[in-house]
Amino acid sequence: MSRVVVTGIGSVGPGGFGTGSLVRALDEGQPLGGVETFDTPRGRRREMRVARIAPFDPEPFIPARKLRRMDEVSQVWTVACMLAHSDAGLDAAGSPDLPYPPEDRATFLGTGLGCIAATWEYLRELTAEGAAMANPFLFSESVANAPAGHSAIELDARGPNCTLTCADASAVAALSAAARSIRDGRAKLAYCGGLELLPSLAVQTLAALGAPGFLGEGCVALVLESLESALSRRARIYAEVAGLASGSDPRCGSSEWSRDADRMAGVLRRAVKRSGRPAVRKVFLHASGFGAADEAESRAAAAVFPDAPVIRPSLVFGTLAAASGFSLALSALDSSRLSSDEAQTVAAWSWGGGLHSVSLCGPPA
Amino acid sequence: MSERIRIAVTGLGIICALGRDRHRFWSNAVEGRGGIGPVDLFDTSGCKAAIAGQVREEPDPERTRRGRVRRASRTDRFCMTAAVEAVEQAGLAGGGSSSLERFGISLGSSTSGMPEAERWVREGIERGFGRQRASRVLRLPSSAPADAVAEMLGAGGPRLSNMTACTSSALSIGQAADLIRSAETPGMIAGGGDTLCLMTYAGFNALRLLDPKPCRPFDATRQGLSLGEGAGVMVLERWEHAVDRGAQPLAEFLDYGATCDAHHMTAPHPDGRGASAAMADALARSGLDAGQIGHINAHGTGTDLNDSTEARAIRAVFGTDGVKRIPITASKSLFGHGLGGSGGLEAVVLVLSLIHQMAPPTLGWESREAGAPALDIVAGAPRRLSCTYGMSNSFGFGGANCSLIFRTAP
């Protein structure tokens, strides 16, 4: 089985393009975004902080004629993949120098809400104007795997192409599936990560459902490669994907968060054990914003990592942000400063009870 | 490649327009009864078609009332019904809360709670969204069916939800096998489901892909697809785990191939390059030659482009002579295109075909179009099989392709 490493990171977040803005925001420790007010049922109003991605121009990355056929989420994901591609030192798609044939390049996207804006718009039109007037463009862009389909076309990635959804934990689920795909020889390179954009109707609905008071948008794409391939092309290695673990809490209602600290601890322990690096230097916690769930998470972390510093990116970027992708990006960046026998662990829980964890360790010596 | 850990199929569950369990489904399928008829779940006025493979036998409420899943969507109920049937056949039901504690769930869906969301939007437009009960869209995410099944069964293992269009549940089966082979879990409940809804019906109508008559995959006169709904779910287990607990393997899951056309959002690559690569990869990873496949359950939607492309891709992999000796069934002619659930539905059909050594007929097929590869389409009546290995194809929007390979139980 191949060892898997992270060689490229691309992000589109509240601070703009690139990972520098993520690191700065985390260092400053202040919540991003601004307060928005939403109507909820029975005439109540609720204030929510929302960290939205900064307006951006995708034209330097994607030709205008193609942008007209892409919804905003597809644009954001495709640009993040291109940034990661470039960050990994890979040449432009189609270049004869690209070290991997198209068939060896996979795509694994994780998203909780997916193409919700296109879906709402399509449904509104459909409801107002009838089935016979359905807009074929909006329909095809409302299909949840449209972003991964578009990025595969732009980057000529003809390997496995998969869109996973596990609510807030989607990016970690996608990274785990991508890493398994490389380990199992299904691909040599994978673009993977998380994506979440929040149209106002989605935030209004989440507000009415009692979501925590701070939501965030964003997108992160990572380039994963086999260690062997990365070394052969002398790529910069941020981190090794060393340990994966997943489980779930079946007692958790399908619209609730797990409060089972023992189950959470079990998943964290398995990720660390599988990494073979018991020296965990930092833990990125999920911090959903729901009191009982977060208390359980803190207990789990204290039980498994009594001495490791704890980071909660959602306090800066909001929950949902990049569906846990920001934690992955920040952990991968930070892991580049670790030795190969030290690790960081990322926890990602989803509402409905999904539990995912990944341990990243420093670049191989 | 994964270390070769053998994976047993120990339970099957299906609900679709042909019946709400595998017995009723199979007897209807081999008798060539079509499940495609008038659709009355929503208003199809103005659409080219008004038919679909609608489930008429609603899920058994006694089966889906287990657990404490509230507000289950139609897709949730389909998946729960099929999952209960599968775990019962696997001998995992009723064994106490611990029997499935380590099992995971991997389900695919594309529409999920969309019919419920459509009602929510309709009423929101009429009354204002601020007055809408937001809890009615809780079941919209494609992760909802997996969550509902896990809660109902008490499955505490890994949980994955796939929403890769029409390959969703085929990929879910493949990735479930990956999780078993990576020692994450001894077993997975895998497959998927979807429901008919106005959104997809109107969308395929807008793309001019609906046939006003029941679909006729691979036939020269085909005019498009018929939509369908339902769920197909199977229990996959590490072989030794199944045998040790006294379960009887029904079949063996060998491996899968997954690729992407990277060509167009809604149209397949004209050469079928991604489809043929998925089939070839599945064969290679299963350690098989093309000549060993004895039956194919084709994606076979009935659209002009899909069927011509798939036929060329099959010929590219199996050869001009090879395709003449492989009986091919397109199950969508029986129950319609179940979209995100189709891969699960058709994987269950393939395993049933291997178990019974019988291929159900492809309804509506009479002749191939001029210049098309000479595939051996099973038509008119079921066909007796004599084979060990079978393949199920799923292709979807976004250019995603997935081929699964199963073998008969030794």
Side-chain angles (χ1 to χ4, degrees):
Chain A
M1 284 203 301
S2 301
R3 292 166 67 183
V4 179
V5 293
V6 180
T7 57
I9 307 173
S11 77
V12 180
F17 286 156
T19 52
S21 62
L22 295 183
V23 174
R24 278 193 300 278
L26 189 69
D27 287 346
E28 289 167 9
Q30 296 301 312
L32 299 173
V35 174
E36 301 179 21
T37 305
F38 299 93
D39 291 330
T40 61
R42 292 187 283 277
R44 294 178 191 159
R45 293 175 75 76
R46 185 175 173 200
E47 289 187 340
M48 304 274 286
R49 175 174 284 277
V50 186
R52 297 197 178 278
I53 62 167
F56 78 105
D57 177 12
E59 271 205 41
F61 302 89
I62 305 167
R65 64 183 168 79
K66 289 186 173 179
L67 285 172
R68 285 195 292 273
R69 310 296 297 172
M70 292 170 87
D71 187 56
E72 186 184 12
V73 287
S74 292
Q75 295 174 14
V76 168
W77 167 249
T78 301
V79 167
C81 286
M82 289 174 156
L83 289 167
H85 183 91
S86 174
D87 187 54
L90 297 162
D91 292 325
S95 160
D97 296 330
L98 198 67
Y100 306 105
E103 292 76 11
D104 284 337
R105 297 180 230 149
T107 308
F108 287 83
L109 168 61
T111 177
L113 298 174
C115 305
I116 195 75
T119 302
W120 288 141
E121 185 57 28
Y122 175 65
L123 281 179
R124 277 180 194 268
E125 282 193 16
L126 201 57
T127 306
E129 299 179 32
M133 301 301 288
N135 180 330
F137 166 71
L138 273 179
F139 173 57
S140 62
E141 288 303 289
S142 72
V143 178
N145 68 326
H150 281 297
S151 69
I153 292 169
E154 292 308 307
L155 291 159
D156 200 15
R158 301 185 208 165
N161 188 294
C162 183
T163 299
L164 293 165
T165 180
C166 299
D168 297 41
S170 296
V172 175
L175 174 134
S176 301
R180 278 194 293 272
S181 184
I182 293 171
R183 284 181 179 174
D184 293 348
R186 296 184 192 279
K188 289 184 176 154
L189 175 149
Y191 305 96
C192 68
L195 163 69
E196 219 67 87
L197 297 191
L198 299 166
S200 289
L201 185 58
V203 181
Q204 179 180 338
T205 307
L206 290 165
L209 287 169
F214 183 19
L215 301 173
E217 294 186 323
C219 179
V220 161
L222 307 178
V223 170
L224 304 188
E225 296 178 65
S226 69
L227 172 62
E228 183 184 25
S229 301
L231 290 176
S232 72
R233 70 177 187 89
R234 298 181 181 176
R236 173 194 52 200
I237 296 173
Y238 285 107
E240 179 174 357
V241 181
L244 306 170
S246 61
S248 60
D249 179 358
R251 290 176 303 170
C252 170
S254 50
S255 54
E256 299 167 1
W257 292 86
S258 176
R259 287 166 281 180
D260 189 332
D262 291 340
R263 279 182 191 274
M264 293 174 179
V267 170
L268 295 171
R269 275 196 195 94
R270 285 207 302 280
V272 173
K273 184 178 178 186
R274 286 174 185 160
S275 76
R277 275 83 162 182
V280 174
R281 299 301 181 214
K282 199 176 283 184
V283 184
F284 288 77
L285 290 186
H286 187 79
S288 66
F290 287 92
D294 291 352
E295 285 168 20
E297 181 184 50
S298 295
R299 288 200 303 278
V304 181
F305 314 106
D307 303 319
V310 165
I311 311 291
R312 293 180 173 85
S314 62
L315 300 183
V316 173
F317 302 102
T319 56
L320 285 178
S324 65
F326 285 166
S327 288
L328 288 175
L330 290 161
S331 178
L333 285 165
D334 211 36
S335 292
S336 64
R337 294 198 286 262
L338 299 180
S339 67
S340 61
D341 59 355
E342 297 174 310
Q344 298 191 348
T345 297
V346 176
W349 322 127
S350 64
W351 96 344
L355 309 172
H356 299 263
S357 180
V358 57
S359 270
L360 302 176
C361 65
Chain B
M1 188 180 290
S2 304
E3 194 177 321
R4 181 51 61 183
I5 291 171
R6 293 180 68 195
I7 294 183
V9 180
T10 56
L12 299 171
I14 188 167
I15 178 168
C16 66
L18 286 192
R20 68 178 184 190
D21 61 53
R22 64 183 181 280
H23 303 294
R24 273 181 273 195
F25 165 77
W26 186 251
S27 66
N28 284 329
V30 295
E31 286 171 18
R33 291 192 191 131
I36 298 171
V39 58
D40 58 17
L41 291 169
F42 42 79
D43 182 9
T44 58
S45 300
C47 293
K48 183 182 174 188
I51 56 171
Q54 182 177 330
V55 172
R56 300 287 172 181
E57 287 185 289
E58 288 293 315
D60 183 348
E62 287 305 314
R63 292 193 154 201
T64 56
R65 201 172 289 154
R66 300 172 187 205
R68 53 192 182 90
V69 178
R70 299 179 298 272
R71 298 186 287 261
S73 71
R74 187 172 171 85
T75 300
D76 293 344
R77 294 198 302 274
F78 288 157
C79 289
M80 292 157 79
T81 298
V84 168
E85 184 186 6
V87 299
E88 284 178 351
Q89 186 181 25
L92 289 161
S97 60
S98 63
S99 60
L100 285 161
E101 166 60 36
R102 293 169 62 211
F103 275 62
I105 308 288
S106 177
L107 295 179
S109 181
S110 60
T111 62
S112 195
M114 189 56 69
E116 293 78 10
E118 287 172 356
R119 279 197 294 277
W120 185 81
V121 170
R122 190 167 57 243
E123 292 172 14
I125 288 173
E126 290 167 3
R127 301 177 355 194
F129 285 97
R131 294 180 174 277
Q132 285 284 84
R133 278 176 49 206
S135 59
R136 291 173 56 187
V137 288
L138 277 171
R139 314 307 303 177
L140 178 61
S142 291
S143 51
D147 293 342
V149 170
E151 187 182 1
M152 176 185 67
L153 297 176
R159 198 178 302 170
L160 273 186
S161 302
N162 203 306
M163 50 180 190
T164 312
C166 304
T167 57
S168 296
S169 43
L171 284 167
S172 290
I173 291 170
Q175 289 169 339
D178 289 345
L179 284 163
I180 295 169
R181 287 184 166 138
S182 66
E184 279 277 333
T185 175
M188 295 286 291
I189 290 137
D194 248 341
T195 181
L196 287 164
C197 61
L198 182 61
M199 178 186 172
T200 49
Y201 205 93
F204 281 102
N205 182 66
L207 291 169
R208 303 180 184 199
L209 292 176
L210 292 183
D211 192 330
K213 295 192 284 188
C215 65
R216 290 150 284 158
F218 298 108
D219 185 67
T221 65
R222 68 185 184 275
Q223 289 184 38
L225 56 82
S226 299
L227 287 168
E229 63 180 357
V233 174
M234 58 182 59
V235 177
L236 300 179
E237 287 180 73
R238 195 159 34 83
W239 193 275
E240 293 78 10
H241 184 271
V243 171
D244 288 350
R245 68 177 185 83
Q248 177 65 49
L250 306 170
E252 181 174 358
F253 175 72
L254 293 185
D255 217 315
Y256 70 103
T259 64
C260 180
D261 284 1
H263 166 68
H264 190 274
M265 279 308 298
T266 56
H269 190 278
D271 295 340
R273 69 181 184 197
S276 58
M279 288 185 258
D281 192 37
L283 285 167
R285 299 185 67 85
S286 299
L288 299 179
D289 297 324
Q292 291 176 270
I293 294 293
H295 177 48
I296 296 175
N297 191 299
H299 186 58
T301 61
T303 66
D304 182 32
L305 272 180
N306 175 83
D307 293 1
S308 57
T309 301
E310 184 174 10
R312 281 197 291 276
I314 290 172
R315 181 175 61 185
V317 174
F318 294 94
T320 304
D321 293 332
V323 296
K324 294 176 184 169
R325 58 149 200 87
I326 304 176
I328 295 176
T329 293
S331 309
K332 292 180 178 74
S333 65
L334 295 163
F335 47 72
H337 190 342
L339 300 178
S342 63
L345 285 161
E346 289 155 23
V348 170
V349 177
L350 174 62
V351 174
L352 287 170
S353 301
L354 292 174
I355 291 170
H356 294 283
Q357 286 292 296
M358 182 78 76
T362 302
L363 303 186
W365 190 89
E366 291 182 356
S367 63
R368 69 185 165 97
E369 64 188 304
L375 305 183
D376 179 11
I377 303 293
V378 178
R383 177 100 54 92
R384 177 66 59 189
L385 299 174
S386 179
C387 69
T388 304
Y389 303 101
M391 174 182 280
S392 177
N393 286 337
S394 294
F395 313 130
F397 277 7
N401 309 293
C402 184
S403 295
L404 309 172
I405 295 182
F406 294 86
R407 65 162 291 167
T408 54

